Amino acid sequence: MEKKVDVLIIGGGPAAIVTAVTVRKYYPDKEIQVVKDIEKGVIPCGIPYMFASLKDPEENELGSAPFEKNNVDVAIAKAVKIDRDKKTVEMEDSGSYRYEKLVLAVGSTPVVPPIPGIDRRGVYHIYKDMEYLKKCVEEVKKLKNILIIGGGFIGVEFADELSKIDGLNVYLVEVLPRLLANSFDPEFSGLVETKLRSKGVNVLTGTCVKEFTGGERVEKVILSDGGEIDVDGVMLGIGAVPNIKLASDASLDQGRGKGIWVDEYMRTSDPDIFAVGDCAGKRDFYTRKDAAVMLASTATAEARIAGANLYRLKVVRENKGTIAIYSTYIDGLVLGSAGLTEGSAKKEGFEIMTGSVEGMDKHPATLPGASKVKVKLIFSRQSGIILGGQVAGGMSCGEMINLIGVAVQKRMSYTELETLQMATHPYLTGAPTVYPIVLAAQNAGGNP
Ligand SMILES: Cc1cc2nc3c(=O)[nH]c(=O)nc-3n(C[C@H](O)[C@H](O)[C@H](O)COP(=O)(O)OP(=O)(O)OC[C@H]3O[C@@H](n4cnc5c(N)ncnc54)[C@H](O)[C@@H]3O)c2cc1C
């Protein structure tokens, strides 16, 4: 049976939800159909917290309220084939949809590295599926020794969270010499390592896993330095690859990166097919090089661009590339990064100047709940334009990095940041006399 719809969205994650809501806003009369292959999804960013912080993993369900509120039809099915000439999409079991506009929001799948023994039981993958994750949570809570592979933000968040489970010994292995190495300079990633060690996490950097041994179930991990660790569980947190099969089978172009090629308005090489979120190719904000950045915040920004521009280029809302902005939280320590780090800017060949400062997020600093804040800003030396920034400290850093993100997107100069007008209040911010972002910009300016 074939159903005719105006807008067909494949996927059920953040990109699909925000596309549907945005299409409804800009094209109120269109019939919108979402097709997703997982009945009960999860809020992806909340996955680590299903293991200890949330009382019940079900609390992390990705609800369907936005679809209901916006009169969007939802079907549970797996899309398997796009026929671009007929403008139809075939489902795995039966039936198909005919569309005017198709949006691919099919996301990504966790990387499974070719390590011998990886298919043993007790090696957990992070699939965004409630039923699968509930079983993982139940099993992990009974383990004695778990090893997490990957010291990126997913790995460190899992290490923090699993260290809260009584009687569970946590190991974190990262092949690079330090944690969060792709998005933070050493003085920031060092803070994470110290924090995790203080929580009893065994952090092993500059090391990789060579083999998983055991019977049906994993029992031991063999490391590249010859070391061996007895484990009864392993969590893989080493990234994800975009789901491009539907698109590549339909001969849609791929970029030089791993995702589906899209233009500034999220249109693929077929003008009636858009791609958004993890499955869509990303380009770096400064260099336009392909960038392997997959974040929910980027996915939703792309979905807003596609949703508004589906039928006509209604709003000039083009995708200027990813600034790779994100924040993470490890037991009270907040870290945020936006744009280039000092290391990545130098590697790209930028001539830079940097400014750093340590301050407090309340004034006077003796007010209850005040936390230290560390800010680093990176600027182009000649033009003085901001290239990136990092923050670490208390809860206020979660929004402070968003302010830096706006500065990056608007290509602000250090003089503009030095003369920033900001709201300050003793309980809410650092003092206006020593506001950390202003001071960091000032320090960079005095340091060309
Ligand atoms: C543990 C973890 C923590 C994270 N934390 C953060 C964070 O704090 N901040 C942040 O910004 N990002 C975070 N991310 C990244 C974020 O989860 C992704 O960037 C985001 O989920 C991308 O959304 P999406 O809708 O593009 O794809 P997905 O969330 O992957 O959704 C795609 C959906 O499409 C469905 N689908 C795929 N193929 C088909 C098909 N053929 N037919 C029908 N349906 C299909 C999939 O089953 C899935 O439900 C985290 C990721 C993980 C794994």
Side-chain angles (χ1 to χ4, degrees):
M1 206 191 72
E2 185 179 278
K3 182 177 173 191
K4 191 175 170 307
V5 296
D6 298 329
V7 178
L8 177 61
I9 302 167
I10 314 283
I17 294 173
V18 175
T19 303
V21 170
T22 313
V23 174
R24 174 58 67 233
K25 179 176 168 207
Y26 283 90
Y27 306 99
D29 302 330
K30 296 293 179 189
E31 191 183 342
I32 308 169
Q33 174 76 53
V34 164
V35 171
K36 55 176 194 156
D37 62 357
I38 290 176
E39 184 141 21
K40 206 186 238 187
V42 294
I43 300 168
C45 314
I47 295 172
Y49 310 108
M50 295 166 77
F51 286 75
S53 298
L54 294 174
K55 271 196 215 103
D56 181 348
E58 290 270 358
E59 289 170 29
N60 195 44
E61 185 186 347
L62 189 61
S64 56
F67 295 137
E68 286 149 20
K69 268 194 216 147
N70 286 282
N71 188 24
V72 174
D73 275 349
V74 179
I76 310 298
K78 187 178 172 70
V80 286
K81 189 170 173 224
I82 303 169
D83 185 325
R84 287 169 53 193
D85 295 329
K86 291 188 189 149
K87 297 182 83 170
T88 57
V89 180
E90 224 174 85
M91 299 300 125
E92 187 171 57
D93 293 334
S94 68
S96 61
Y97 292 89
R98 183 181 294 270
Y99 61 85
E100 278 178 5
K101 299 285 176 184
L102 171 64
V103 182
L104 300 175
V106 288
S108 57
T109 308
V111 171
V112 182
I115 302 173
I118 196 153
D119 46 2
R120 288 197 154 80
R121 279 193 48 224
V123 178
Y124 304 102
H125 306 256
I126 307 170
Y127 296 121
K128 300 165 194 150
D129 178 341
M130 179 63 83
E131 292 316 314
Y132 171 83
L133 285 168
K134 268 165 61 181
K135 282 190 203 121
C136 293
V137 172
E138 213 181 293
E139 284 191 29
V140 166
K141 282 187 168 164
K142 294 180 196 147
L143 299 180
K144 295 272 170 272
N145 294 293
I146 193 161
L147 180 129
I148 300 160
I149 306 185
F153 77 93
I154 293 177
V156 301
E157 286 175 10
F158 262 104
D160 173 32
E161 180 72 0
L162 299 187
S163 71
K164 294 176 190 157
I165 299 176
D166 277 347
L168 181 61
N169 216 349
V170 181
Y171 297 86
L172 176 63
V173 175
E174 165 57 49
V175 66
L176 294 173
R178 56 194 175 83
L179 302 177
L180 301 180
N182 293 328
S183 34
F184 288 92
D185 288 316
E187 63 272 36
F188 286 80
S189 43
L191 297 174
V192 183
E193 189 167 332
T194 308
K195 178 61 108 176
L196 286 176
R197 285 190 193 285
S198 77
K199 298 199 69 200
V201 175
N202 304 286
V203 180
L204 305 157
T205 48
T207 313
C208 65
V209 172
K210 282 279 179 224
E211 192 177 350
F212 304 106
T213 61
E216 192 198 336
R217 211 184 152 86
V218 64
E219 287 168 21
K220 201 185 279 280
V221 167
I222 317 285
L223 301 173
S224 51
D225 61 6
E228 297 184 358
I229 302 174
D230 289 335
V231 294
D232 46 7
V234 171
M235 183 74 74
L236 298 176
I238 43 178
V241 281
N243 290 329
I244 56 160
K245 189 165 184 321
L246 261 184
S248 58
D249 287 354
S251 303
L252 292 173
D253 287 356
Q254 243 83 90
R256 291 218 317 252
K258 291 180 181 158
I260 303 165
W261 181 87
V262 284
D263 70 6
E264 257 71 351
Y265 297 94
M266 311 313 297
R267 296 178 290 198
T268 66
S269 45
D270 181 325
D272 290 322
I273 306 180
F274 289 62
V276 291
D278 283 5
C279 66
K282 310 274 175 273
R283 284 188 286 273
D284 180 73
F285 181 75
Y286 284 104
T287 63
R288 309 299 295 158
K289 282 184 180 171
D290 294 300
V293 174
M294 282 182 261
L295 291 164
S297 50
T298 313
T300 53
E302 293 176 351
R304 289 185 181 103
I305 294 168
N309 291 315
L310 213 52
Y311 282 86
R312 288 173 297 281
L313 296 186
K314 259 189 186 258
V315 272
V316 181
R317 217 183 220 196
E318 79 275 34
N319 186 356
K320 293 182 178 148
T322 175
I323 63 164
I325 181 167
Y326 80 92
S327 46
T328 189
Y329 174 89
I330 298 124
D331 190 35
L333 171 68
V334 177
L335 284 114
S337 173
L340 302 174
T341 61
E342 179 176 357
S344 59
K346 282 182 177 160
K347 209 163 143 196
E348 279 300 341
F350 285 98
E351 280 189 26
I352 59 165
M353 56 187 188
T354 65
S356 296
V357 74
E358 286 192 24
M360 295 302 289
D361 64 0
K362 298 194 194 316
H363 58 287
T366 44
L367 268 177
S371 301
K372 275 192 187 159
V373 189
K374 189 179 169 93
V375 177
K376 175 173 181 175
L377 300 177
I378 297 111
F379 297 91
S380 150
R381 184 189 287 263
Q382 289 289 322
S383 58
I385 302 290
I386 187 166
L387 297 173
Q390 292 150 68
V391 294
M395 301 304 251
S396 59
C397 290
E399 286 304 335
M400 210 177 272
I401 195 60
N402 286 336
L403 173 54
I404 294 173
V406 172
V408 170
Q409 288 179 71
K410 299 309 286 180
R411 297 182 197 272
M412 287 175 77
S413 67
Y414 78 88
T415 45
E416 286 172 299
L417 284 168
E418 224 180 321
T419 52
L420 192 72
Q421 299 184 38
M422 76 306 261
T424 58
H425 181 275
Y427 267 105
L428 305 176
T429 65
T433 45
V434 287
Y435 192 72
I437 292 176
V438 170
L439 245 56
Q442 222 163 31
N443 288 348
N447 196 15

